[in-house]
């Protein structure tokens, strides 16, 4: 499967890589090892020793230096070999491990899997509407057993909420809502307007004033190529009186793991009841139920049913709720095609050269 490479993907929440610990994570089908260097900066190396290809995570991490568990070569955080315990101790020229640019932002570690010269941190999209000092943020990590594009289909399709999440996110008003979807640069903005209906159960729980009354409900989701979504849900008393409105900002980040699995990072921010740990726990349980127990099994079952064939190739029936997802897939295809048309990087797979083997 072909992925967009010259782009920042989310590798982990920053606190999933505490100092002194290793995190093994497969991204775009490549095994990676994430850890922090002696100064606490997060780094990512290919999880494969250049000697006999032992996964480096099976070795020891000390002060930002990883020692291969098989024959003890030591590599620094840039992937350079700094110690060879064998023979004359000379460091062989091929003793280096691929490293990847990593940037810590929005509580997360972003990784660049493409051409390193183009890894500009300014290209990381802005998610400060969700993660900022004025918000309490409840974060999640899940590992859907489905291709990341199936997850994007799911997250951009709000028509499923009344059926798959009837006791949390869904409502009859959402099914009857009007949608407006437009392209803005490399993003797709999808807006939903559901006036004069019952609030979804989760909104009734979070905002008592919307329980048992008719409300206007709106959602805006912005898909940012290839796999990031920034959203905001709004609620107000029916009749467009916005003085008493409430909003909930959220985000969904998908990172391909393999062709049939992905990493899913989600977060919901709020600027009310900020110190309420009990509410944190309730939101956490609600999200894990909706996403973890309702969406993920459905999407994994679809992945199983597709048996490795891309959904578009089967010419699926299309409903109005699929519009944003179809537009996203179309834009993604174009971006991947454009990237593949660019001049390729120099091949990096050097043939083994016995004359250069040391130690
Ligand atoms: S496999 Fe790593 S040092 Fe031999
Ligand atoms: Fe869902």
């Amino acid at each position: 499967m072909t992925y967009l490479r010259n782009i920042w993907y989310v590798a982990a929440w920053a606190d999933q890589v505490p100092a002194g610990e290793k995190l093994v994570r497969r991204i775009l089908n490549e095994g990676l090892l994430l850890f922090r260097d002696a100064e606490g900066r997060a780094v990512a190396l290919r999880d494969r020793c250049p000697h006999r290809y032992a996964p480096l995570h099976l070795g020891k991490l000390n002060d930002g230096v990883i020692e291969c568990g098989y024959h003890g070569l030591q590599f620094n955080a840039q992937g350079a070999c700094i110690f060879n315990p064998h023979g004359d101790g000379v460091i062989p020229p091929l003793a280096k491990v691929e490293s990847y640019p990593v940037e810590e932002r929005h509580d997360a570690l972003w990784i660049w899997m493409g051409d390193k010269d183009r890894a500009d941190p300014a290209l990381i999209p802005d998610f400060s509407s969700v993660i900022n000092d004025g918000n309490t943020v409840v974060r999640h990590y899940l590992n859907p057993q489905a291709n990341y594009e199936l997850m994007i289909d799911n997250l951009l399709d709000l028509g499923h909420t009344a059926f798959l999440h009837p006791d949390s996110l869904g409502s009859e008003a959402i099914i009857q809502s009007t949608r407006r979807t437009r392209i803005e640069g490399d993003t797709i903005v999808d807006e939903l307007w559901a006036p004069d209906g019952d609030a979804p159960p989760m909104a009734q729980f979070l905002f008592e004033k919307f329980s048992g009354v008719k409300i206007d409900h709106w959602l805006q989701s912005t898909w940012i190529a290839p796999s990031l979504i920034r959203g905001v849900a709004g609620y107000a008393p029916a009749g467009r009186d916005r003085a008493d409105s409430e909003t909930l900002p959220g985000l969904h980040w998908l990172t391909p793991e393999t062709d049939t699995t992905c990493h899913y990072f989600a977060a919901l921010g709020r600027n009310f009841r900020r110190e309420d740990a009990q509410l944190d726990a309730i939101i956490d349980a609600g999200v894990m139920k909706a996403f973890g127990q309702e969406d993920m099994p459905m999407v994994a079952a679809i992945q199983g049913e597709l048996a490795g064939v891309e959904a578009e190739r089967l010419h699926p029936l299309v409903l109005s709720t699929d519009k944003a997802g179809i537009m996203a897939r179309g834009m993604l295809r174009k971006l991947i095609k454009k990237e593949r048309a660019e001049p390729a990087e120099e091949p990096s797979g050097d043939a083994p050269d016995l004359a250069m083997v040391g130690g």
Side-chain angles (χ1 to χ4, degrees), residues 87-102:
D88 57 10
V90 168
I91 309 283
L94 290 179
K96 53 182 185 261
V97 181
E98 180 78 14
S99 70
Y100 302 82
V102 173

Side-chain angles (χ1 to χ4, degrees), residues 13 175 243 251 262 300:
W13 288 115
I175 304 176
L251 60 80
C262 63

Side-chain angles (χ1 to χ4, degrees), residues 151 154-155 157-158 160-161 164-165 169 264 290-291 294-296 299:
M151 283 299 295
N154 166 273
L155 291 163
D157 146 35
L158 298 163
H160 77 269
T161 55
L164 200 53
H165 316 300
L169 306 174
Y264 175 29
F291 297 165
E294 294 166 354
D295 281 314
M296 285 188 19
V299 178

